[in-house]
Amino acid sequence: MTTAAGYFDRKSNSATRPGLAHLQADPSSPHTPQRTFSSAFSSPSVSYRAEEEVLVFELGARHLSAGLVGESKPRCRLGFGPEDSRRVGDYRAYYPEYQDRPRKRKRDYKWGEDHELWRMDLRGVDLGLVEDKIERAVREAYTKYLLLDSKNKRLVLVLPSLMPHRLLSSILSSIFSNFQTPSITLLSSPALNIAAAGCRAGLLVDIGWDETVITSVYDFREIKVRRTTRAMKHATRSMADLLKGFVDPEATRTDESQTSEQDEQPPNQPFSDSRYFDFAEEVTSRIAWCPAEKGSVPRTNEGTITAEEGPSNPHEAEAQNIISIPSPLPPCKPLQIPFTKLSEPIEAALLATGLNRHDLDDHEQPLPQLIYNTLLSLPPDVRSVCMARIIITGGGSNIAGLKPRLLNDLTSIIKTRGWNPVQGRAAEQVRRSPSTPKPQLKTPTGAETMFEPQITDEITERLEREKMKRYVAEVAGEVRGVETLGAWAGGSLVASLKVKGVVEIDRDTFLAHGLAGAKRESEMMAATQRMTLGARPLGLGEKSGWTLGNWA
């Protein structure tokens, strides 16, 4: 009888259990290499941990951008215009004569109202229609571009820092009611633009559609916000007025001489047709430009012509740069427009050229003056940091020459006025008068020893030298522009770090209470203090409250 020890001491039979020598590749004969499979295609028992997919949506007044966390740009950008809101099976836009069909004019037409999702003035906004448009755009992004199911997908929503509560409630209820999103994290677009630029502080100039918002951010906190109505809506309106003179000059002279009472089109409304709006917007985004310096005129392939160097006859300068623009407007003939004329709507709309500053209201200030006023209202230490990190973003930032023009005008204002908040004749006389010498204060007796140089040893000097090697000087106190990747890229970057957001809204809590379930920051801080003092912690089924943060 064989014992257990004898069983393990036996040698294996080579006839019944062959070795591994026959599995080695023979270099003299062809063979198939062995394949190695990654863990992603192996048995499910290898790893039970699944990464949580997070989606990033940026919602604006005219567009919705959607994509996955960790990507550098969104996968889709959907608009809310009339052509993007057609029913399924409506192919009228592909008919050959669809663009040339006669269209009815609207009596109470507002420029660009058909292309906007919302306005800050909610008195004329149908919030039910806003919810339907958001649902359609989000569903199209899920099914056509993201190719994902909304179930168990956490959502990061990038919104402007100022939004009415009724509008915010409509946006959240549209997403929570129609999609199985477990939670939504709200992030502010100004802070994300600063993060996408690689900074912690800066001055953000967002040239949007309905208004331009200038926000000063320090350590990712919004300090000062100022707004003006001089934005792209005003710029496209001015471009439409310019194009109207070249499309139908006779109608322009008639409008200037007399006003018809039977005209269905309201006054100061150049076009009430969506074709005119699309044409004016396309010309503004593609061909419109702004001179980098005041009074400069471009020359083809030869730099610029300033007012001193240019020809004496202005019509001669315009004849040198005449471009032809295909026009979809009847009579569908190419428009011959001087290239210098295409900069006038931008300067008039955004820079308020030709207008007296005292005739403008606070919400109509030109962009360089508003940037200067925002910097002037900041503390000196914050101002020196923000003025060296001026970030110009938004749809209007893509206009050629606008960014250097804003920085040059801001530099000239600072050189002229300095940082003196007092304006007027008295301040100008004080600035031009010779400065009076300041009285010198006498040092009190016994305080001379306080200002004597201290004696340092070799170790302290060595540590100071090592510290200066690693020291990087911070740029401050000068006007400088910084590029940014945009709010969506900033949201993708911040969400990939898996940082807990300030405003995280749970689906069940919102559907039960709405915005009324949000707590104030003071209440949240009081609850946190009670937890630190030894109060009963939250149970397994309980959830902590949430706050609206900047949107409160």
Side-chain angles (χ1 to χ4, degrees), residues 160-400:
S161 59
L162 180 62
M163 181 167 290
H165 282 188
R166 291 177 55 198
L167 181 59
L168 181 60
S169 178
S170 300
I171 294 173
L172 296 177
S173 62
S174 176
I175 298 176
F176 279 133
S177 302
N178 299 287
F179 305 95
Q180 297 180 354
T181 304
S183 65
I184 296 179
T185 302
L186 301 184
L187 296 179
S188 177
S189 57
L192 295 181
N193 276 289
I194 298 295
C199 305
R200 297 177 61 91
L203 186 72
L204 182 68
V205 182
D206 188 1
I207 308 176
W209 168 248
D210 194 57
E211 60 182 1
T212 298
V213 184
I214 300 179
T215 309
S216 57
V217 179
Y218 189 80
D219 201 11
F220 296 115
R221 295 178 179 271
E222 299 180 10
I223 300 177
K224 189 75 65 174
V225 180
R226 291 179 181 266
R227 301 170 183 272
T228 178
T229 56
R230 298 191 175 274
M232 293 306 298
K233 186 175 183 179
H234 194 182
T236 54
R237 178 77 174 276
S238 301
M239 182 64 70
D241 292 336
L242 175 66
L243 296 176
K244 181 181 179 181
F246 289 93
V247 172
D248 193 359
E250 297 295 334
T252 305
R253 299 193 194 99
T254 305
D255 293 341
E256 292 177 355
S257 59
Q258 59 183 358
T259 302
S260 176
E261 297 181 357
Q262 299 179 356
D263 190 6
E264 296 180 356
Q265 194 169 346
N268 298 329
Q269 296 288 345
F271 309 115
S272 59
D273 197 339
S274 60
R275 291 180 300 174
Y276 299 98
F277 177 85
D278 297 337
F279 182 49
E281 187 178 25
E282 185 176 4
V283 171
T284 305
S285 60
R286 289 174 176 265
I287 315 176
W289 63 284
C290 181
E293 296 181 359
K294 187 176 181 180
S296 62
V297 181
R299 177 189 295 172
T300 56
N301 300 329
E302 295 183 4
T304 58
I305 301 178
T306 60
E308 294 79 5
E309 299 175 359
S312 57
N313 189 1
H315 299 284
E316 181 181 354
E318 293 179 359
Q320 296 176 0
N321 299 319
I322 294 180
I323 61 176
S324 178
I325 302 177
S327 174
L329 310 177
C332 299
K333 295 181 180 179
L335 304 181
Q336 305 295 329
I337 302 178
F339 187 68
T340 55
K341 289 287 186 180
L342 297 175
S343 66
E344 295 179 359
I346 304 300
E347 292 185 287
L350 302 181
L351 306 178
T353 55
L355 297 178
N356 191 0
R357 184 173 58 87
H358 301 285
D359 297 336
L360 302 176
D361 293 336
D362 292 340
H363 64 279
E364 297 177 346
Q365 294 296 321
L367 300 189
Q369 184 66 35
L370 191 62
I371 296 174
Y372 173 79
N373 294 340
T374 307
L375 291 173
L376 189 62
S377 62
L378 298 176
D381 53 344
V382 179
R383 180 196 307 158
S384 62
V385 176
C386 290
M387 68 183 299
R389 295 161 182 82
I390 299 178
I391 301 173
I392 303 175
T393 184
S397 63
N398 299 323
I399 297 177

Side-chain angles (χ1 to χ4, degrees), residues 143-154:
T143 58
K144 190 175 180 179
Y145 297 97
L146 300 178
L147 303 179
L148 294 174
D149 187 12
S150 61
K151 187 176 182 180
N152 298 330
K153 299 294 188 302
R154 192 166 61 89

Side-chain angles (χ1 to χ4, degrees), residues 29 41 72 79 87 90 92 122 142 264 271 341 343 373 424 489:
S29 61
F41 300 97
S72 60
R87 296 180 179 179
D90 188 357
R92 291 179 297 173
L122 299 180
Y142 272 121
E264 296 180 356
F271 309 115
K341 289 287 186 180
S343 66
N373 294 340

